[in-house]
Amino acid sequence: MSTFIIAKVRSNAYSAPFDLQVAAKTLKAYGRKWSTLREQFKLHDVRPGAGWDEFIAKLAASHEDYAAVGSVFETIYREQILLGSRSCRVYNDDTFEWQTLIDRVQSFPVLSTSFGNSYPLPLSTPILKGLSSDTMELVSRELLHNGDLKLVFCSPRKIVSRQQLNPNQLSQQFTDRLATVIGGFDSLIALTSTYAQAYDVVVVRPSMARMEIRLDHPHTMDADVVAEQCTRILQLLEQIYSGVSTIMTAALNFFPIIGAMYLDRKCGVVEQLWFGTDTSSLKREVMRKTKLDLRDENFHVGGVTKLGGSTKIKPYAIRIHFDKLESKDSQVRVALHGNFKDLSIPAAVLSDVSIENCLNETEFRAALKRLVAFS
């Protein structure tokens, strides 16, 4: 069973000092693009520097040019730590009592906990490693101006990475011993584990009769783990309001919209496409330049024409750049990754969509709105 704690919910005025260096290093480690941060600073007429390293160095040195950066960066950090790359699942149920859920969560008692005491900054790696993998804490609940409720759940997330080793860089004694134990090898793969604090977000929208679960670090989880994490969050909310588990089967299905998004030429710029053909082949096509649309690429057009038109291919995964979302320089990418086996399933289901590189919450909502409009 998951360990569920409602953490002390803090206001914008934190009792603990906000460490700008820790915040900057966290965003960098979590893969937030410097270009995104730079665009955010531009909105506040602040020039942060040439890149993450320079920015962090000047923060460490308390550079005089950065006197006005602190409050601006804290605001940016609070938003960016909840964005980045997200796996999003949307639950829609017109019969569910969404407002009652909001009221119950708002009135639920709070406790002071590890995550809650450091939020929005992450815990140190040693502390994260010492927590149970099932630990999850609700560290923030914010009632938005439109009546929506935003919740932030924090948990430790183990990230396993693979790296191929060069046997020539290892000691002869080690490789000989390894060959003796396993009977020889063609290549060596090292698995390394690191720990990161996950900031999973839930947004309840009573006016739309829906709820969004936005999972952090989606590239570290396969589809089964994503589903398990969503189920965990629903089960924890069930402890607050009985009946939440009834919406588990109400997730929107994004698989049918993959083909529709490809066919709609007004729907962003297609960067990558996976598809099957009537001639029993599977294809993956990738554009090397992000501003060029795969739909117009000569090789792709020629192949599609030979097959009899774009309706003759069967897309099962797609990656699109929404180049004109909330700003002309939007960097938002959405990716829907089905499986080629889904093409043979009459009612294939894809519950999760990846949304990346949002400048702010407004862009995230706009990207999700486009996706939901197709469903």
Side-chain angles (χ1 to χ4, degrees):
M1 176 166 301
S2 297
T3 303
F4 180 39
I5 302 173
I6 303 291
K8 183 177 181 181
V9 180
R10 297 176 178 270
S11 65
N12 288 333
Y14 283 72
S15 57
F18 185 84
D19 193 318
L20 296 175
Q21 293 180 59
V22 171
K25 291 177 181 178
T26 298
L27 289 185
K28 180 184 178 183
Y30 279 36
R32 302 302 190 265
K33 291 187 175 182
W34 177 253
S35 58
T36 300
L37 188 77
R38 186 176 61 244
E39 290 301 316
Q40 285 283 61
F41 271 114
K42 282 183 179 179
L43 298 178
H44 297 274
D45 295 324
V46 174
R47 295 183 178 182
W52 277 119
D53 292 339
E54 179 183 331
F55 180 64
I56 293 172
K58 287 189 175 181
L59 288 177
S62 299
H63 196 280
E64 60 181 8
D65 291 344
Y66 276 35
V69 167
S71 60
V72 173
F73 180 55
E74 182 174 353
T75 300
I76 293 173
Y77 173 87
R78 291 181 186 280
E79 188 167 43
Q80 281 299 313
I81 199 64
L82 303 182
L83 293 173
S85 180
R86 296 275 154 177
S87 175
C88 188
R89 181 172 292 198
V90 179
Y91 299 86
N92 187 269
D93 189 336
D94 293 331
T95 64
F96 186 77
E97 296 292 337
W98 296 105
Q99 189 58 52
T100 302
L101 171 62
I102 290 178
D103 294 341
R104 295 287 178 84
V105 173
Q106 285 288 86
S107 62
F108 203 81
V110 299
L111 299 171
S112 179
T113 66
S114 297
F115 285 119
N117 289 333
S118 65
Y119 181 83
L121 297 176
L123 297 176
S124 65
T125 299
I127 295 178
L128 282 174
K129 292 175 66 174
L131 295 175
S132 166
S133 60
D134 289 335
T135 300
M136 178 177 284
E137 296 177 7
L138 175 57
V139 298
S140 174
R141 55 188 180 190
E142 178 184 3
L143 189 63
L144 306 179
H145 65 87
N146 59 356
D148 295 348
L149 180 67
K150 177 185 282 189
L151 309 174
V152 180
F153 292 85
C154 284
S155 60
R157 190 150 296 163
K158 185 177 181 180
I159 301 174
V160 178
S161 57
R162 298 163 56 92
Q163 180 179 0
Q164 186 163 351
L165 301 179
N166 183 354
N168 295 328
Q169 296 178 342
L170 304 175
S171 69
Q172 189 65 44
Q173 182 181 5
F174 175 82
T175 54
D176 290 346
R177 177 59 178 165
L178 185 61
T180 300
V181 172
I182 65 176
F185 55 87
D186 295 321
S187 61
L188 292 175
I189 303 295
L191 300 180
T192 58
S193 298
T194 57
Y195 286 82
Q197 180 167 322
Y199 295 78
D200 297 330
V201 177
V202 174
V203 181
V204 183
R205 303 189 187 279
S207 63
M208 299 181 181
R210 84 180 193 207
M211 179 171 71
E212 304 156 13
I213 296 182
R214 311 172 182 178
L215 298 183
D216 202 0
H217 304 293
H219 300 304
T220 67
M221 302 181 288
D222 60 26
D224 291 338
V225 176
V226 169
E228 290 172 5
Q229 190 72 0
C230 288
T231 299
R232 282 184 65 199
I233 291 175
L234 291 176
Q235 289 173 340
L236 298 179
L237 291 175
E238 173 84 9
Q239 298 178 28
I240 301 176
Y241 178 45
S242 178
V244 170
S245 59
T246 62
I247 68 172
M248 287 185 181
T249 59
L252 293 183
N253 181 12
F254 290 109
F255 188 80
I257 78 172
I258 296 175
M261 293 175 70
Y262 164 73
L263 292 173
D264 187 347
R265 300 189 63 83
K266 295 181 180 180
C267 184
V269 175
V270 176
E271 295 181 339
Q272 299 182 43
L273 185 71
W274 294 252
F275 59 95
T277 71
D278 290 340
T279 55
S280 301
S281 65
L282 295 173
K283 307 291 185 184
R284 181 196 176 192
E285 297 184 359
V286 181
M287 296 302 296
R288 290 183 297 170
K289 295 184 178 180
T290 58
K291 294 184 178 181
L292 299 181
D293 196 330
L294 178 66
R295 301 181 185 100
D296 300 322
E297 194 269 330
N298 290 338
F299 184 87
H300 178 76
V301 173
V304 168
T305 302
K306 185 72 174 179
L307 290 171
S310 56
T311 59
K312 297 297 182 179
I313 67 172
K314 301 173 182 177
Y316 61 87
I318 195 169
R319 179 178 171 85
I320 291 182
H321 173 202
F322 285 158
D323 57 336
K324 296 178 181 178
L325 201 58
E326 292 297 304
S327 68
K328 63 178 181 179
D329 298 319
S330 172
Q331 301 181 43
V332 178
R333 266 79 177 174
V334 299
L336 296 90
H337 289 292
N339 190 287
F340 74 90
K341 296 179 181 179
D342 295 331
L343 296 176
S344 60
I345 301 175
V349 174
L350 176 64
S351 300
D352 307 291
V353 58
S354 174
I355 302 178
E356 307 171 3
N357 300 337
C358 292
L359 184 64
N360 48 42
E361 173 66 19
T362 301
E363 279 200 341
F364 191 99
R365 289 199 308 267
L368 187 58
K369 182 179 179 180
R370 282 197 182 187
L371 293 167
V372 173
F374 275 96
S375 62

